Amino acid sequence: MSLYGSDSGELEVARVQLHQAAQMIAAAGVSYAEHQADDSHTNMELLRPLNVWAGAVCPGKRSWRLALDFSALKYLFLDGEEHTPLSEYALHGQTFDEARAWFMRQVIRAGAEPEAFSTALHFEIPDNDYAKGRPFKRENQRAFVGLAQHFLTAHEALERLLAQKNAGDLRIWPHHFDLGALITLDSEAGKSVGLGLSPGDGSYNEPYYYVSPWPYPQKSGVLSDEALAGKGFWHTEGFTAAVLKASDYTRVEQTAGYIDAFLDSALHACEDILIGRP
C-alpha cells in the first residue's frame, strides 16, 4: 500500500532513523536549555519556511538551536533568533557518534560548554541499531520525503482544528516521536483531549491520527455510541483513542477534507464523553 509514495515498511526504516536522530535534539535541550515542568525543553517545533523541526533555544555567546530536516535526513545548527543555518550535517553514511562530534564543534563555536552535553535521557525509545553505531542510510529518499509530508500535513490539519481551542503548543515529542497537543476541557477535573499524529509504532506500523479522551471512559458501550467520520475507529488496547490510519486517509482524493472530518468528529466524540452536550 502506497502511503505518500512509500509503503509502511519503507516508512518504518525512515521513522526509526529519524526517531534516533531526534534524540540528539532532546539531549541538547536537557543539557543546555532552561528546563520546563512539562518537559517541553526536549520537544521540537516546526520552523517555516525551512520546514525543519527545531529543538529548544539554548544559550551561548549567541543563542542557538539544533534542528532536523526530515526529508533530507540532516541536522541544522541554527541561530537562535534569526533561525539562520550556521552549519549543516547530512546523516547519510554517518554514525550517531560522528554526528555528536560535529554537534560538539558547533556548541564550542557558539560559546557553550561541551562538557555539559550528555545523551543520557530520562526516557527510553525502542532499541535500534543506529544508537549502537550503525551508519544512517537515506537510500530510499522517497520514504523520508513521504514521512516528512505526513508530519507537515498533520501539522496543518491540527493547526486548523486547534485554532479556536484551549490547546497547548503543537510539538513533536522525542519519546514516542509523535506530533501532538493537549486540549484542556476542565483543568480542575483533569479532563483533557490529547490528539496528534503517530508516525507508526507497536500498535500500527504506519502513520495514524489519534484523538484520546482523558480520563478514559469506564462504562462499557460509551465508545460505540460515538460515531467517527470516514474509516475512523476506536482503539482500546493499551490506550483509548479514536484512530485514523494512513492506509485509509491516503486512499481518498480530498485527503485534507477527509482528515479534517475525522478529527472534528473524534474531538466532538471525546467532548461528549468527557463533558456531555447541553
Side-chain angles (χ1 to χ4, degrees):
M1 172 62 64
S2 176
L3 308 175
Y4 289 169
S6 298
D7 63 31
S8 59
E10 293 170 328
L11 289 180
E12 180 185 11
V13 173
R15 166 171 55 87
V16 170
Q17 294 186 68
L18 289 169
H19 193 180
Q20 177 58 38
Q23 303 313 296
M24 190 85 76
I25 295 176
V30 170
S31 300
Y32 296 110
E34 181 179 354
H35 285 208
Q36 305 297 321
D38 63 357
D39 221 27
S40 57
H41 55 284
T42 68
N43 67 23
M44 300 184 292
E45 69 170 315
L46 177 63
L47 292 186
R48 295 189 177 102
L50 294 174
N51 282 345
V52 299
W53 296 89
V57 176
C58 300
K61 289 186 297 186
R62 59 187 177 196
S63 63
W64 55 272
R65 61 199 309 190
L66 184 62
L68 182 61
D69 183 329
F70 287 9
S71 294
L73 185 59
K74 70 177 179 181
Y75 287 124
L76 297 91
F77 194 85
L78 305 175
D79 177 89
E81 295 182 4
E82 302 295 330
H83 299 157
T84 305
L86 304 174
S87 182
E88 299 182 3
Y89 188 83
L91 281 165
H92 177 74
Q94 309 300 317
T95 67
F96 192 72
D97 283 345
E98 288 169 333
R100 173 177 176 157
W102 163 82
F103 176 52
M104 288 297 91
R105 292 194 294 272
Q106 310 317 310
V107 165
I108 292 170
R109 288 171 184 163
E113 294 294 333
E115 295 81 6
F117 183 68
S118 172
T119 54
L121 296 171
H122 50 288
F123 56 82
E124 294 183 355
I125 68 171
D127 189 52
N128 70 87
D129 291 340
Y130 304 99
K132 303 173 183 177
R134 180 178 180 178
F136 291 88
K137 293 293 183 184
R138 188 177 173 267
E139 293 174 334
N140 188 339
Q141 298 180 15
R142 68 179 184 179
F144 288 92
V145 172
L147 191 57
Q149 186 58 54
H150 279 284
F151 276 113
L152 291 176
T153 298
H155 194 279
E156 293 172 358
L158 292 165
E159 270 192 329
R160 290 192 293 270
L161 184 68
L162 298 174
Q164 304 301 320
K165 301 294 181 179
N166 179 23
D169 294 328
L170 192 55
R171 298 289 189 267
I172 290 181
W173 295 86
H175 187 190
H176 298 294
F177 199 46
D178 62 318
L179 172 65
L182 188 72
I183 297 175
T184 300
L185 299 180
D186 186 333
S187 57
E188 292 186 1
K191 294 182 178 181
S192 61
V193 179
L195 69 171
L197 175 90
S198 167
D201 54 24
S203 296
Y204 304 102
N205 192 34
E206 61 179 286
Y208 65 90
Y209 287 88
Y210 64 87
V211 183
S212 179
W214 184 262
Y216 296 153
Q218 300 300 314
K219 294 181 180 179
S220 60
V222 170
L223 298 180
S224 61
D225 292 337
E226 300 293 341
L228 300 172
K231 290 198 173 183
F233 62 93
W234 289 103
H235 174 100
T236 57
E237 185 176 345
F239 64 94
T240 298
V243 164
L244 178 66
K245 297 190 295 183
S247 52
D248 291 320
Y249 67 73
T250 55
R251 290 175 181 267
V252 299
E253 291 186 6
Q254 301 298 325
T255 303
Y258 191 84
I259 292 170
D260 286 349
F262 163 75
L263 290 173
D264 188 63
S265 70
L267 179 56
H268 277 77
C270 289
E271 290 173 337
D272 279 345
I273 291 168
L274 294 171
I275 60 177
R277 290 289 171 188

